Amino acid sequence: MDIDGFNENACWTLPENFDVPLVTFIDEAPGEHIFGHEDLNLRSIQLHSNTLIQLERWFTASGQTRVTVVGPLRAKRWLMDMIRSVGSQQAYHQARGEKMLHHVQNQPPTKADLDDSFSMPAYIFGLILDIGFGF
């Protein structure tokens, strides 16, 4: 059954999708760029990525937003790669992130998109050093 874009196969119906949420911290400007003014794009990103995303504004003393993502592992990896890439200081990665962002705002990532995502160890161990992102 599909009710307003949600269905019984949605990510929140599977308990294993809540086992290991991915968490990152982003500054206000990148957060608004990704999720839209007043989180206008949040719902479409969640629907298209089959994830749930919680945004906690001003979570840190410096005003960063904590972003928590739950859902299937590949989708979580893809979204974290997109967030990291959008905020990258390197033009290639930033362009890649913008392409990913536009894609997920308009349609679900394909299997090939998910397969193309970066590996997780850099996220897990905090080795990403992009300015404005607290990985």
Side-chain angles (χ1 to χ4, degrees):
M1 182 164 105
D2 194 9
I3 302 172
D4 193 27
F6 297 98
N7 63 57
E8 68 259 6
N9 296 322
C11 72
W12 53 87
T13 64
L14 303 171
E16 61 269 19
N17 287 334
F18 293 88
D19 289 345
V20 184
L22 294 182
V23 178
T24 191
F25 297 87
I26 59 175
D27 290 334
E28 183 178 0
E32 187 163 310
H33 176 70
I34 293 168
F35 299 108
H37 180 68
E38 296 185 6
D39 304 332
L40 181 65
N41 300 324
L42 178 61
R43 185 167 187 265
S44 65
I45 293 171
Q46 291 179 122
L47 284 173
H48 293 147
S49 65
N50 195 32
T51 61
L52 288 175
I53 303 168
Q54 180 180 13
L55 304 175
E56 296 175 80
R57 306 255 185 243
W58 289 92
F59 189 82
T60 66
S62 63
Q64 289 185 314
T65 297
R66 180 167 77 172
V67 180
T68 304
V69 181
V70 297
L73 181 59
R74 289 167 31 112
K76 292 186 297 189
R77 285 181 179 177
W78 192 89
L79 279 177
M80 287 298 185
D81 185 20
M82 181 269 296
I83 291 170
R84 183 198 61 81
S85 295
V86 166
S88 177
Q89 299 301 310
Q90 297 177 2
Y92 167 79
H93 293 294
Q94 192 173 39
R96 182 175 175 271
E98 290 295 330
K99 182 178 175 184
M100 294 169 78
L101 174 60
H102 179 73
H103 184 92
V104 77
Q105 287 173 339
N106 296 292
Q107 61 188 339
T110 64
K111 182 181 181 315
D113 294 329
L114 297 175
D115 290 342
D116 200 32
S117 188
F118 286 178
S119 65
M120 279 309 290
Y123 299 118
I124 294 170
F125 297 110
L127 299 176
I128 304 300
L129 301 176
D130 286 349
I131 296 174
F133 289 79
F135 290 93

